[in-house]
Amino acid sequence: MVGGIMNAPPLSPGGGGLWAMTPSGGARGDTGRKSEMMDSLLGLGGLMLLRDSVEWEGRSLLKALIKKSALSGEQVHILGCEVSEEEFREGFDSDINNRLVYHDFFRDPLNWSKTGETLPGGPLGALTAMCKRTDPGPVTIALDSLSWLLLHLPCTTLCQTLHALSHQNSCPSDSSPVGQVRVLGLLHEELHGPGPVGALSSLAQTEVALGGTMSQTSAHILCRRPRQRPTHQTQWFCILPDFSLDLQEGPPVDSPPHPDPHTLRVDPTTHLTFNLHLSKEEREARDSLTLPFQFSSEKQQALLRPGPGQATSHIFYEPDTYDDLDQEDPDDDLDI
């Protein structure tokens, strides 16, 4: 579910520029815009970072990208650590599930049961083994999730492994090139500090940050290509139940919300025991009032020039016996 609209029915063709998907995952009508987002995301190799949050989950988009890679004929390996294999495969048809190579580290991440189904080195051992692969053809490796790996592995070790995996160009045994390696990593950004997030961001060739409004999901895409300036784009979409993308028109920019005419406006001062509003006469009386702490010109003249009949005061001082009157030694009475 993405943005609370996973269970929405497929849209009809021609409905405001949106696409309706056939049960087999194909598109009816023009598929140019539908594949635009997929091409921009999957066009590069290396590490793709899917950054989600509590409001906008990213596993559905990860599964949509996995489906696209599988339908393209690529080898797809999945490192499942955060949810069970049954839950992750749910929603894929049998054809897609048969093409996925699933490494289950959810039930027994450290191979304590000694069943032999899990690599002895755990998730890190599986990633290291993938770095030494010699199979030809492009490969997509999906990590569900990088957050789980960060909580169980040192950040430096994980970053070094991801760098070696995403920059794999040739076989270690000979000079024959292997296919392009693409790593899809799901990251729950709110679980980590700026250090690990920044380290993974520096390794990524593509970053996708999920956001949106109350009813629409957006993907803010940052692509870094060699010897080119980074590019930014924003795509609005929803994900259909078969994990196909349905692009949408985003909300209009700077459009003020229109209030509902049927909504009653409530005055917050209705039930107060005092009045916050002043009449014209009350406002004039307030403005003409001289406050006690205000030093007006009338007060200044009265203090400096007392009028006739006003008593004047004088201060007379008679020194005491023990008063210190020696100006040269003011501390003489202290016996210092």
Side-chain angles (χ1 to χ4, degrees), residues 163-181:
H163 181 269
L165 186 62
S166 59
H167 290 77
Q168 181 182 2
N169 294 321
S170 62
C171 301
S173 58
D174 52 34
S175 59
S176 60
V178 297
Q180 184 185 49
V181 178

Side-chain angles (χ1 to χ4, degrees), residues 131-186:
C131 290
K132 300 177 181 179
R133 73 179 187 91
T134 58
D135 300 332
V139 174
T140 295
I141 302 173
L143 307 179
D144 185 20
S145 68
L146 277 174
S147 293
W148 191 96
L149 295 174
L150 276 176
L151 295 176
H152 293 79
L153 298 173
C155 181
T156 54
T157 303
L158 179 60
C159 289
Q160 291 171 358
T161 306
L162 290 176
H163 181 269
L165 186 62
S166 59
H167 290 77
Q168 181 182 2
N169 294 321
S170 62
C171 301
S173 58
D174 52 34
S175 59
S176 60
V178 297
Q180 184 185 49
V181 178
R182 183 185 301 109
V183 182
L184 309 177
L186 179 62

Side-chain angles (χ1 to χ4, degrees), residues 240-321:
L240 301 180
D242 63 346
F243 296 107
S244 299
L245 285 187
D246 192 8
L247 295 186
Q248 298 178 341
E249 296 290 341
V253 181
D254 298 331
S255 58
H258 298 284
D260 188 357
H262 301 287
T263 302
L264 298 178
R265 299 185 62 182
V266 180
D267 186 2
T269 64
T270 302
H271 303 288
L272 295 179
T273 58
F274 52 90
N275 185 19
L276 294 178
H277 306 286
L278 298 178
S279 62
K280 182 179 179 181
E281 292 78 10
E282 291 173 338
R283 190 175 295 104
E284 292 176 352
R286 182 195 63 183
D287 296 339
S288 61
L289 180 64
T290 302
L291 299 178
F293 55 81
Q294 290 180 337
F295 194 70
S296 61
S297 57
E298 292 80 4
K299 287 185 178 182
Q300 183 179 9
Q301 294 298 328
L303 293 175
L304 295 179
R305 298 179 181 177
Q310 293 183 350
T312 57
S313 300
H314 300 278
I315 298 176
F316 298 94
Y317 174 70
E318 181 177 355
D320 191 44
T321 306

Side-chain angles (χ1 to χ4, degrees), residues 79 105 119-131 153 161:
L79 231 66
F105 293 97
L119 290 176
L124 185 60
L127 290 176
T128 305
M130 292 178 189
C131 290
L153 298 173
T161 306

Side-chain angles (χ1 to χ4, degrees), residues 51 150 155 187 189-202:
R51 302 164 63 164
L150 276 176
C155 181
L187 181 68
E189 188 173 0
E190 296 170 328
L191 299 181
H192 312 284
V197 175
L200 291 173
S201 177
S202 64

